[in-house]
């Protein structure tokens, strides 16, 4: 310390040169790997199975799923087909593109995947509708459309179906006509007209699976790919032509939007946090020069730590990048501890009128702070380094970086900070720095220390049963904002059991083993559906094909369309509309039933349409005939079905289910509420029981949770052991070691108990608060124990409590600002960090002095 104050310019110059070199190195080598799969060690068994699966079926975990949604099924399918054709040529952005459950194969062979009785039913319905198709094929106009309505009314009049059964289809037609008359976008679906029930969201949705080219050196590895998709959507004018919207979800868009959500409001929160921290530093240090010295020291330490971190790990991951926050929190603590002690010594020196009060205060502050700061820095580093042997690589690397950072922060605090204070020469201290107003609290703790200790421990022990209800939320989707597009789309898809968003995967050696696995999984009550390559080979094909061929002659007007007749004039269309209005009103009469009400409604709409401008009628005509062309093309495709065998399957389906080395994939989907964690947990457990090598979906999430919790338990054990050994070596008394650790453990237990009471579950994000609690908590406890061992009394009135209080306030502000984040995971992290800091400070300031009692008599060596 004397050297640093005597050669202050030299020390500062060296510090700035090293920091500048570190900045240059960091700029040249800065990298961040955003691949979340690499946060877990690849050496554990389930990760090895995942890696093997990814090699066999590449691209399954780095997909973009384009969700194409339109007002009608016809428009959704057409929009998806157009977008697919736009994307296929962009080889520099996309590796592979396919339409799950869509494309030419399913459009041609869709009927074969239905039960035989459903094939017969649907083909019979199509044949029954042949007269309608004939009318429209010959006269694709408003006149032809009114002819279809007249045909329908005639069928009801002849008793082929009830008038009330026509209510829903007539209302569907009325909806479209009324939208046209109102000048709003109007859409009509012939598929909806043919169904006996309203269309579902799933009916009006088509999916495109896209495997993008990823750049993991970028903060958004799939950013270029998603931008290309959105540009293609705009270029194709899918919204204007088909009323379609396209939402992107899947692992890649979700990861991309994570950054956008975290960054949302980050600048505002950051600026607010800096201002509050500066205010707290002002309250603690009362001198712009001291605050500047602490700030410069912090920047130098942070610059060096960043460079050292890149040397140690090569690239930051999504968790180790949090070391910036940890360093600021603990680096400021070291700076405040030394600076407040300097101010106290400066006040004492000024009172004694010491000749060189500045240097004397700096040296004495160093002598006083040497042991507690050194012990706190090494103990905190031990706590972070305890994560090194764990399988949670994300935190393991954070521990390595933060451990090194604590030593760097300590060295900066005892070298650069005194040198800066020597050069800046802050003014003297007129007032003592302690908190005299806390004297009654000091007296209370001294008089009632047994009651305080027993009462505090008693409350904590009584609360231990609460820990049984401590919940770990293993579903990472709950840590993401449901407002962003990718998560909202994912949640919508998750409600549809056909999308398989929560499916698990098993790799079989061959097709025969795949059938055995499929049979076993299908018997589980927790499994709703099992899919393998055999699923794409329909059963009873010959019978189904025979039904289709028998029905084909009845659909000659569709399958072999003749050239349309002469199109009507507008006057002829108006006359046809008026004639149908008359027919509808005549059929409705004075009846009050739903069929009659629907007939009168449609009659009113068609009457207005006949009186409107020709442009309105043209729009109405296009509204009905555009989807008709698509529907007729789909019918023609369905009647081209051919026998299906493995060798005739499209290559994209084969590669999706059979690997290059012949292994076959089997997929199982869960039964029950897909949003319920317990349902997914039971599903994963049931599958693993019969197929221990299953991976993916809930299994991977569940195993990740187990790995992370195990890592923190393991690291906690190593941290307590290493810190205990360190404390025993330095303090040389088991009792003093316990005086340091008991408040630390108490703070941890109480924090977890409060989490249960306020319904704050642990999760992948906020669990990071535990090593922070360990690092800051052990530092606070060490400060008090070393002061107590030095014979200091009235601890709450001392400058030490002032330093600890403002250090905690500064760190709490930095961490607490995360609470305001719009990102649920970040917010929960900030909430738990703030809570843990409050309990840690309370344990240090209120419980620990009572636990220690009066200091021992100091024995001079």
């Amino acid at each position: 310390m004397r050297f640093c104050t005597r050669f202050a310019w030299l020390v500062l110059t060296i510090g700035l040169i090293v920091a500048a070199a570190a900045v240059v190195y960091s700029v040249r080598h800065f990298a961040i790997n955003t691949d979340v799969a690499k946060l877990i060690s690849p050496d554990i068994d389930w990760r090895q199975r995942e890696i093997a699966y990814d090699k066999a079926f590449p691209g399954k975990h780095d997909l973009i799923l384009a969700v194409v949604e339109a007002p009608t099924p016809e428009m959704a399918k057409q929009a998806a087909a157009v977008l697919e054709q736009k994307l296929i040529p962009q080889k520099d952005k996309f590796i592979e593109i396919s339409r799950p459950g869509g494309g030419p194969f399913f459009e041609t062979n869709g009927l074969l995947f239905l039960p035989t009785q459903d094939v017969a039913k649907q083909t019979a319905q199509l044949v029954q509708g042949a007269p309608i198709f004939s009318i429209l094929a010959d006269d694709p106009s408003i006149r032809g459309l009114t002819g279809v309505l007249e045909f329908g009314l005639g069928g009801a009049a002849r008793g082929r179906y009830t008038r009330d059964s026509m209510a829903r289809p007539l209302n569907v037609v009325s909806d479209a006509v009324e939208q046209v008359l109102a000048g709003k976008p109007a859409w009509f679906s012939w598929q909806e007209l043919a169904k006996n029930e309203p269309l579902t969201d799933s009916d009006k949705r088509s999916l495109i699976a896209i495997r993008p080219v990823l750049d993991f050196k970028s903060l958004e590895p799939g950013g270029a790919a998603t931008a290309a998709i959105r540009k293609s959507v705009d270029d194709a004018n899918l919204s204007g032509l088909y009323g379609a919207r396209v939402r992107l979800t899947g692992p890649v868009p979700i990861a991309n939007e994570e950054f956008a959500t975290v960054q949302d409001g980050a600048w505002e929160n950051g600026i607010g946090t800096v201002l509050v921290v500066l205010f707290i530093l002002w309250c603690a240090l009362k001198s712009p020069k001291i605050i500047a010295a602490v700030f410069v020291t912090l920047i130098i330490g942070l610059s060096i730590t960043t460079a050292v971190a890149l040397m140690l790990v090569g690239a930051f991951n999504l968790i180790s990048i949090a070391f910036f926050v940890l360093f600021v929190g603990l680096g400021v603590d070291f700076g405040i501890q030394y600076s407040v002690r300097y101010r106290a010594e400066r006040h004492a020196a000024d009172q004694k009128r010491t000749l060189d009060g500045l240097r004397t205060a700096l040296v004495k502050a160093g002598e006083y702070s040497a042991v507690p700061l050194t012990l706190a820095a090494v103990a905190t580093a031990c706590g972070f380094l305890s994560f090194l042997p764990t399988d949670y690589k994300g935190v393991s690397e954070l521990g390595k970086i933060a451990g090194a950072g604590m030593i760097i922060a300590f060295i900066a605090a005892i070298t650069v900070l005194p040198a800066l204070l020597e050069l800046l020469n802050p003014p003297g201290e007129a007032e003592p720095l302690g908190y005299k107003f806390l004297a009654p609290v000091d007296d209370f703790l001294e008089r009632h220390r047994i009651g305080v200790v027993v009462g505090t421990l008693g409350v904590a022990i009584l609360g231990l049963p609460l820990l049984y209800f401590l919940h770990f939320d293993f579903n990472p989707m709950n840590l993401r904002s449901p407002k962003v597009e990718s998560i909202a789309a994912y949640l919508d898809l998750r409600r549809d059991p056909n999308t398989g968003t929560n499916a698990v995967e098993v790799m079989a050696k061959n097709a025969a083993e795949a059938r055995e696995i499929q049979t076993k999984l299908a018997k589980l009550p927790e499994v709703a559906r099992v899919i393998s390559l055999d699923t794409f080979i329909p059963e009873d094909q010959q019978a189904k094909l025979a039904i289709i061929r028998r029905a084909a002659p009845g659909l000659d007007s569709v399958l072999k369309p003749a050239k349309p007749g002469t199109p009507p004039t507008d006057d002829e269309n108006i006359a046809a509309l008026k004639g149908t209005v008359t027919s509808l009103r005549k059929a409705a009469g004075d009846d009050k039933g739903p069929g009659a009400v629907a007939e009168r409604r449609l009659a009113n709409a068609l009457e207005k349409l006949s009186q409107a401008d020709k442009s309105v009628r043209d729009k109405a005509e296009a509204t009905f005939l555009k989807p008709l062309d698509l529907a007729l093309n789909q019918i023609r495709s369905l009647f081209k079905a051919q026998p299906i065998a493995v060798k005739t399957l499209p290559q994209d389906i084969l590669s999706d289910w059979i690997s290059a080395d012949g292994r076959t994939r089997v997929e199982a989907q869960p039964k029950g509420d897909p949003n319920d964690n317990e349902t997914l947990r039971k599903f994963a457990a049931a599958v693993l029981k019969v197929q221990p090598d299953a991976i993916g979906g809930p299994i991977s999430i569940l195993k990740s949770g187990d790995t992370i919790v195990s890592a923190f338990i393991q690291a906690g054990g190593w941290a307590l052991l290493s810190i205990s050994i360190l404390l025993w070596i330095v303090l040389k008394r088991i009792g003093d070691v316990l005086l340091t650790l008991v408040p630390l453990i108490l703070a941890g237990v109480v924090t977890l108990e409060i989490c249960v009471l306020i319904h704050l579950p642990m999760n992948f994000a906020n669990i990071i608060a535990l090593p922070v609690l360990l690092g800051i908590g052990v530092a606070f406890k060490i400060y008090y124990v070393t002061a107590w061992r030095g014979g200091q009394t009235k601890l709450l009135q001392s400058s030490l409590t002032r330093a600890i209080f403002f250090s905690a306030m500064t760190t709490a502000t930095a961490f607490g600002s995360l609470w305001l984040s719009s990102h649920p995971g970040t917010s929960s992290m900030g909430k738990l960090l703030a809570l843990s800091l409050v309990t840690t400070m309370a344990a240090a300031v209120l419980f620990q002095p009572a636990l220690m009692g009066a200091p021992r008599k100091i024995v001079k060596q």
Side-chain angles (χ1 to χ4, degrees), residues 129-175:
I132 295 176
F133 299 136
S134 297
I135 294 171
L136 292 173
D138 181 62
D139 187 5
S141 66
I142 283 182
R143 185 178 63 185
L145 291 168
T146 59
V148 170
L149 287 172
E150 295 283 1
F151 178 83
L153 292 173
R158 292 189 295 271
R160 294 184 59 187
Y161 36 80
T162 66
R163 288 171 56 202
D164 286 348
S165 67
M166 292 185 63
R168 199 186 69 81
L170 291 177
N171 283 324
V172 170
V173 176
S174 295
D175 289 339

Side-chain angles (χ1 to χ4, degrees), residues 557-576:
S557 61
V558 177
L559 304 180
K560 303 173 184 178
K563 186 177 180 181
T566 304
T569 64
D570 187 49
D571 289 339
E572 288 173 326
N573 280 333
I574 292 173

Side-chain angles (χ1 to χ4, degrees), residues 284-285 335-344 433 799 802-803:
L285 304 176
I336 289 179
Q337 291 294 332
Y338 178 82
S339 299
V340 169
R341 188 64 201 182
Y342 152 75
R343 290 187 63 205
L433 268 70
S799 60
R802 179 190 184 94

Side-chain angles (χ1 to χ4, degrees), residues 435-458:
Y435 288 139
K436 293 298 183 184
F437 67 89
L438 290 178
V441 182
D442 260 331
D443 294 338
F444 177 85
L445 293 177
E446 287 180 9
R447 291 196 308 270
H448 305 285
R449 62 180 296 262
I450 301 298
V452 170
V453 172
V454 172
T456 304
L457 292 176

Side-chain angles (χ1 to χ4, degrees), residues 308-624:
V308 170
L310 292 170
M311 293 177 189
L312 290 173
V313 299
F316 294 109
N317 60 54
L318 292 176
I319 292 178
S320 63
I321 197 73
F323 99 91
F324 287 100
V325 179
L326 295 179
F327 186 92
V328 169
L330 291 165
V332 166
D333 173 59
F334 292 160
I336 289 179
Q337 291 294 332
Y338 178 82
S339 299
V340 169
R341 188 64 201 182
Y342 152 75
R343 290 187 63 205
E345 295 295 343
R346 183 69 182 269
H347 172 73
D350 290 347
Q351 291 295 106
K352 296 177 182 178
R353 302 184 185 277
T354 304
L355 184 61
D356 190 355
L358 171 64
R359 186 165 295 180
T360 301
L362 290 172
V363 171
K364 285 192 173 184
E367 292 172 351
Y368 178 88
S369 304
V371 172
L373 282 184
T374 303
L375 190 55
V378 176
T380 304
C382 287
F384 285 124
L385 292 173
S386 296
F387 284 93
L388 286 179
T390 69
D391 291 324
Y392 193 10
K393 187 179 176 183
V395 175
S396 174
E397 291 185 355
L398 173 63
K400 186 186 298 185
I401 296 168
M406 291 307 95
I407 303 302
I408 294 170
F410 165 71
I411 293 173
I414 62 172
T415 56
V416 176
L417 181 56
L420 279 167
L421 291 174
E422 170 73 21
L423 295 173
L424 294 173
N425 189 15
E429 302 290 340
E431 301 292 334
L433 268 70
Y435 288 139
K436 293 298 183 184
F437 67 89
L438 290 178
V441 182
D442 260 331
D443 294 338
F444 177 85
L445 293 177
E446 287 180 9
R447 291 196 308 270
H448 305 285
R449 62 180 296 262
I450 301 298
V452 170
V453 172
V454 172
T456 304
L457 292 176
V459 170
I461 292 171
L462 288 174
L464 287 177
L466 290 171
L467 298 183
Y468 176 80
F469 301 98
L470 185 64
H471 173 56
F472 185 87
D473 185 354
F474 70 89
N475 192 338
M477 285 299 145
N478 294 337
L479 304 182
R480 298 180 167 111
S481 173
K483 298 178 181 178
V484 301
E485 176 187 278
S486 60
I487 300 301
Y490 171 83
L491 295 176
D492 286 344
L493 291 179
R494 193 166 69 172
R495 298 185 189 99
D496 183 355
N498 294 320
T499 57
T501 51
N502 285 316
V504 300
E505 316 285 349
V506 181
M507 281 197 301
K509 295 177 182 177
N510 48 51
E513 186 180 59
R515 293 187 191 99
E516 294 176 5
I517 294 171
Q518 186 171 6
T519 302
K520 283 195 297 183
L521 294 178
K523 293 178 181 178
L524 296 176
E526 295 84 1
V527 173
R529 182 185 181 195
V530 184
I531 305 173
S532 71
L533 187 65
D534 285 349
T535 308
F536 297 90
I537 311 298
E539 296 179 349
D540 203 15
Q541 292 188 54
Q542 293 305 317
K544 295 174 183 176
L545 287 168
I547 293 171
I548 293 171
R549 292 191 187 104
R550 286 196 299 269
L555 286 167
D556 278 346
S557 61
V558 177
L559 304 180
K560 303 173 184 178
K563 186 177 180 181
T566 304
T569 64
D570 187 49
D571 289 339
E572 288 173 326
N573 280 333
I574 292 173
L577 286 170
K578 291 180 177 178
T580 302
V581 169
T582 301
S583 298
L584 284 166
R585 287 176 174 161
K586 181 179 178 181
D590 296 328
D591 193 1
K592 302 298 183 183
V597 172
E599 288 167 340
R600 279 191 287 270
R601 177 190 174 193
L602 181 56
N604 292 335
L606 294 181
E607 184 176 44
K608 292 178 182 177
L609 183 61
S610 68
Q611 298 169 353
D613 292 338
K614 180 179 183 298
S615 60
V616 178
R617 284 187 291 279
D618 290 342
K619 182 179 178 182
E621 182 177 278
T623 299
F624 289 94

